[in-house]
Amino acid sequence: MTTILVDSSVILDVATRDPHWFAWSSAMLGEYANQGALCINPIIYTEVSIGYERPEEVEAALPPHLFRREPIPWDALFLAGKAFLAYRRGGGLRVHPLPDFYIGAHAAVTNMPLLTRDPRRVSNYFPSVQLITPNH
């Protein structure tokens, strides 16, 4: 049984019925839910929660029986900081969100594949992460 870390972009595509990404994202969630466990972490939960008014709405969008909640390991937090530092030293903008680095590091440290449609920073800074993207 495989555990897949699901990026907030995929969940939001389904929740908002995004005209471009809904079909792909919903198909991938269905496919991987049938193959194993879908997983989120506190960062993903937070990013998804922005579109809701109440915690109960977020829970309905991310039911625990479909999305297993996992903490981010301390080793992943350390790795995220180092990757973000490399990004900044390489000229990356300060306004770019650090959450992508937390999510990528979580996938890297736990060896979980990451279901995402925006793999740029993860593939650049966490090359060991198996990515499930529209192009793969």
Side-chain angles (χ1 to χ4, degrees):
M1 183 172 192
T2 302
T3 301
I4 305 291
L5 187 61
V6 182
D7 191 24
S8 55
S9 62
V10 174
I11 297 166
L12 290 170
D13 290 342
V14 174
T16 63
R17 299 192 65 81
D18 182 273
H20 184 76
W21 291 108
F22 175 80
W24 182 84
S25 292
S26 60
M28 292 297 100
L29 286 174
E31 178 180 332
Y32 287 100
N34 288 329
Q35 292 182 23
L38 301 177
C39 176
I40 61 171
N41 64 31
I43 301 298
I44 296 163
Y45 184 96
T46 301
E47 289 182 323
V48 171
S49 76
I50 292 170
Y52 297 93
E53 295 295 320
R54 298 184 347 261
E56 298 80 14
E57 295 171 355
V58 183
E59 288 301 309
L62 298 170
H65 68 279
L66 291 179
F67 294 97
R68 189 171 81 200
R69 280 111 165 104
E70 294 277 333
I72 301 174
W74 291 102
D75 289 348
L77 297 171
F78 181 82
L79 182 58
K82 294 302 178 195
F84 186 71
L85 179 61
Y87 165 78
R88 290 286 298 128
R89 286 184 175 158
L93 300 175
R94 190 177 300 265
V95 297
H96 206 285
L98 184 56
D100 290 346
F101 292 93
Y102 289 128
I103 294 166
H106 186 179
V109 167
T110 59
N111 294 315
M112 272 193 272
L114 176 62
L115 175 59
T116 184
R117 64 171 169 76
D118 185 14
R120 290 170 298 159
R121 276 166 299 287
V122 175
S123 62
N124 288 338
Y125 293 94
F126 307 100
S128 67
V129 173
Q130 177 189 344
L131 295 168
I132 304 164
T133 67
N135 299 328
H136 289 95

